């Protein structure tokens, strides 16, 4: 019983941060930001993988949260008609591009930093390393 309670605390915090990021993502999406970013980048003629990376890094830079950027970039990419014509392998590569974009501007004041620190039970100095 004690072991299961020890494991619930970090997992519960992760679920709370992900849920909060998803809620902020829907607020940003409903405000029309996704309708501006997605179509403009789709018209650019860039490969979809580059577009996925750019959307992720733009949202990450503007909002500061990796979870919000990841869920919003995924949501924007999922609504693009050109994405449906790609293979599963290409979509997996787009997921990797989104993950790369959201980690590009990481800093200590990010929820992801504290998730890693609390889930692994390590101090801030070691997490920075």
């Amino acid at each position: 019983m004690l072991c299961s309670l020890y494991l619930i605390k970090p997992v519960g915090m992760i679920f709370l941060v992900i849920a909060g990021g998803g809620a902020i993502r829907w607020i940003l999406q409903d405000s029309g930001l996704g309708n501006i970013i997605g179509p403009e980048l789709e018209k650019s003629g860039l490969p979809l993988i580059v577009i996925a990376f750019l959307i992720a890094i733009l949202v990450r830079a503007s909002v500061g949260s990796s979870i919000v950027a990841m869920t919003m970039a995924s949501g924007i990419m999922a609504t693009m008609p050109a994405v449906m014509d790609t293979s599963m392998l290409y979509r997996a590569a787009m997921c990797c591009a989104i993950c790369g974009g959201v980690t590009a501007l990481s800093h200590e004041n990010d929820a992801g930093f504290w998730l890693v620190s609390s889930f692994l039970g390590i101090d801030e100095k070691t997490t920075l390393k």
Side-chain angles (χ1 to χ4, degrees):
M1 180 72 170
L2 182 61
C3 182
S4 62
L5 289 177
Y6 178 73
L7 294 175
I8 290 174
K9 181 182 175 186
V11 172
M13 294 303 293
I14 290 171
F15 285 150
L16 284 174
V17 170
I18 290 171
I24 293 172
R25 179 250 175 194
W26 281 110
I27 292 169
L28 292 173
Q29 190 78 25
D30 289 345
S31 71
L33 185 63
N35 296 332
I36 296 168
I37 295 173
E40 290 302 316
L41 285 174
E42 192 173 22
K43 291 178 198 173
S44 69
L46 292 170
L48 291 173
I49 291 177
V50 175
I51 292 173
F53 180 80
L54 289 175
I55 290 173
I57 202 166
L58 285 172
V59 175
R60 170 77 159 131
S62 62
V63 177
S65 170
S66 57
I67 294 174
V68 172
M70 187 181 303
T71 56
M72 187 159 182
S74 301
I76 291 171
M77 292 304 295
T79 60
M80 291 184 181
V83 172
M84 293 302 131
D85 296 333
T86 60
S87 68
M88 291 299 283
L89 183 62
Y90 196 85
R91 291 181 207 169
M94 280 192 292
C95 289
C96 292
I98 289 171
C99 290
V102 302
T103 58
L105 299 173
S106 185
H107 50 83
E108 189 175 340
N109 198 18
D110 180 41
F113 174 87
W114 296 107
L115 280 174
V116 170
S117 176
S118 66
F119 189 68
L120 297 177
I122 53 179
D123 61 345
E124 291 82 18
K125 183 177 179 181
T126 308
T127 306
L128 282 172
K129 288 179 184 179

